[in-house]
Amino acid sequence: MRIHNVSKGAVALAAAAVLLAACGGGDDKGDYPTLTGDKPLVIGHRGASGYLPDHTLEGYRKAIELGADFIEPDLVATKDGVLVARHEPNITATTDVAQRSEFAARKSKKLVDGVSEEGWFVSDFTLAELKTLRAVQPLAERDQSHNGKYLIPTFEEVLELAKTEGARLNRSIGVYPETKHPSYHAGLGLALEDRLLAILGKYGYTSKSAPVIVQSFEVANLKYLRSKTQVRLVQLVDANDVNADGSMDLTAPYDKPYDFAVAGDARTFASLLTPAGLKDVKSYADGIGPWKPYLIPSKLVDANKDGKPDDLNGDGKIDERDRVMLPATDVVKNAHAAGLFVHPYTFRSEARRLASDFKGDPKAEFRLFYQLGVDGVFADFPDHAKAARD
Ligand SMILES: [Ca+2]
């Protein structure tokens, strides 16, 4: 998923604490306000990306060690058609490729979903070439000490890790792959879906009970996958930003699934979350993965009506810490009524990413969303998600 300027989370914190205390008996089933009553899933977003570079076997292993139920590889295709785990086709920010003189000539400009990007792209490298690169931590505020150590894993290596770690720990470790930019990959002649299906088939992952959930921001590829497999599918729901008043900013190109843009379909991401939209999503998917402010928005405050947001924590800048949580929307309720589970993204624990309500405590944000009934959370710090749940 994209990195947004804002990210949110909290209102009835006291109520949340009471509710979860009532659930403290340790029963996994029936006690949570989820679709099934089961515990919400902890999904290690890009591994344990709060601690280690995104999409590395070391990061996924760390997520498992921290208690993640699922690990989440984003999938892109190499020049020779191998699915590997990277957040984006453009690997400039997540690898050391820019320092590799042997690949200097591979730098190029490409259109990804209508947006021009410059850098190094996975589709210009064979798997063997990609394996000579090393991952780096893309966020400056996070630990840079692991840069240059870890390889880019293939999707099969991620499935193997989940299988062997699951056997070793005697618990199910699910894998939650995202098909990244399906239309873009199809345009390169490197369509992701059949490659994904072939690998899942090799592992026998073809049914709803398989430890796999496939996610995408586009719609047509999910419909295609539904015609070929019964593994669980999730419709991701994005937006451009959140406005000062807490409403969603649906500015193009982040206003709608890219295949809708290509097809001239007027529906937006928000259209997918109306009761009618959710019913349609249920025809091809098992759940939704909305950006979390669709579930509980937050707003900036302007108490003195001077047209400028108030700096609530007085640090001289305006960010998440100056936002106040608003009441929850009906999205979780309506999704559950449609039979869809809800896995919002992305929960990030740094204090600057938490709304004022949470007072710097990431667990308070998780508790608010668990109380609302979400069925899982994409978390950069899976240990915090687990601690708040358990
Ligand atoms: Ca501030």
Side-chain angles (χ1 to χ4, degrees):
M1 290 124 202
R2 300 198 303 118
I3 294 176
H4 288 277
N5 296 328
V6 276
S7 60
K8 244 103 276 141
V11 192
L13 291 180
V18 167
L19 176 119
L20 287 172
C23 299
D27 246 5
D28 285 13
K29 246 184 146 57
D31 287 343
Y32 291 83
T34 53
L35 183 61
T36 58
D38 293 346
K39 271 188 186 184
L41 296 173
V42 172
I43 305 154
H45 184 240
R46 307 180 197 168
S49 54
Y51 298 101
L52 291 175
D54 304 359
H55 298 304
T56 57
L57 291 179
E58 291 75 8
Y60 297 129
R61 192 175 288 119
K62 176 85 174 174
I64 295 167
E65 177 195 316
L66 297 178
D69 302 298
F70 273 74
I71 51 176
E72 194 240 0
D74 296 330
L75 300 182
V76 296
T78 66
K79 189 179 181 177
D80 44 348
V82 181
L83 298 185
V84 297
R86 281 292 92 187
H87 179 242
E88 287 294 323
N90 186 337
I91 52 172
T92 309
T94 63
T95 70
D96 59 0
V97 67
Q99 280 74 55
R100 298 298 187 91
S101 56
E102 67 273 32
F103 296 127
R106 303 275 177 99
K107 192 177 187 186
S108 67
K109 274 190 185 154
K110 290 197 201 302
L111 270 184
V112 181
D113 296 0
V115 180
S116 179
E117 290 186 26
E118 186 167 26
W120 287 263
F121 295 83
V122 168
S123 59
D124 292 329
F125 293 79
T126 64
L127 177 64
E129 289 171 335
L130 276 180
K131 285 289 189 184
T132 70
L133 302 177
R134 295 295 180 270
V136 302
Q137 168 57 255
L139 296 182
E141 73 198 295
R142 292 183 174 169
D143 184 1
Q144 302 290 315
S145 70
H146 297 271
N147 292 354
K149 292 184 187 170
Y150 309 137
L151 277 67
I152 297 175
T154 65
F155 180 45
E156 286 204 57
E157 288 169 341
V158 180
L159 289 174
E160 276 301 320
L161 176 78
K163 218 170 117 177
T164 53
E165 285 297 283
R168 187 175 72 80
L169 299 166
N170 194 29
R171 70 182 177 95
S172 172
I173 308 293
V175 179
Y176 208 132
E178 178 183 349
T179 56
K180 297 296 292 198
H181 307 288
S183 297
Y184 163 86
H185 278 102
L188 292 171
L190 292 168
L192 304 172
E193 294 75 25
D194 288 341
R195 292 178 164 88
L196 172 62
L197 288 165
I199 295 169
L200 294 179
K202 186 174 153 184
Y203 281 79
Y205 297 157
T206 56
S207 71
K208 254 190 213 319
S209 59
V212 172
I213 303 176
V214 179
Q215 47 169 335
S216 184
F217 281 112
E218 292 189 19
V219 173
N221 83 114
L222 289 174
K223 289 184 171 174
Y224 175 77
L225 289 168
R226 176 50 80 227
S227 74
K228 302 279 182 187
T229 181
Q230 285 308 307
V231 301
R232 286 165 287 175
L233 304 177
V234 161
Q235 177 67 60
L236 297 172
V237 184
D238 205 4
N240 183 61
D241 207 339
V242 177
N243 296 313
D245 67 358
S247 61
M248 303 305 290
D249 167 3
L250 291 167
T251 302
Y254 303 111
D255 57 332
K256 61 176 60 175
Y258 186 63
D259 58 319
F260 280 14
V262 171
D265 191 321
R267 287 176 295 166
T268 65
F269 278 120
S271 313
L272 300 175
L273 297 179
T274 64
L278 290 164
K279 209 172 149 188
D280 186 50
V281 171
K282 177 62 179 167
S283 71
Y284 62 87
D286 303 278
I288 55 170
W291 189 22
K292 61 189 180 178
Y294 277 111
L295 307 187
I296 312 179
S298 69
K299 66 170 184 181
L300 291 165
V301 180
D302 181 12
N304 60 1
K305 307 281 182 210
D306 66 352
K308 284 185 288 192
D310 300 345
D311 181 13
L312 294 188
N313 68 345
D315 67 350
K317 53 192 174 210
I318 300 298
D319 61 19
E320 289 300 300
R321 288 170 286 193
D322 303 307
R323 283 186 169 260
V324 174
M325 297 306 289
L326 292 166
T329 68
D330 287 335
V331 170
V332 171
K333 194 177 76 182
N334 292 340
H336 284 175
L340 293 161
F341 60 76
V342 182
H343 294 167
Y345 67 88
T346 300
F347 290 81
R348 301 194 154 110
S349 295
E350 286 94 355
R352 75 170 185 91
R353 301 176 185 276
L354 298 169
S356 59
D357 308 57
F358 305 126
K359 300 181 169 55
D361 177 10
K363 291 198 271 304
E365 185 187 30
F366 285 114
R367 283 195 295 267
L368 184 72
F369 280 81
Y370 292 150
Q371 183 217 14
L372 181 62
V374 302
D375 304 277
V377 289
F378 289 94
D380 283 3
F381 297 78
D383 46 342
H384 298 168
K386 185 180 189 313
R389 181 192 66 184
D390 298 348

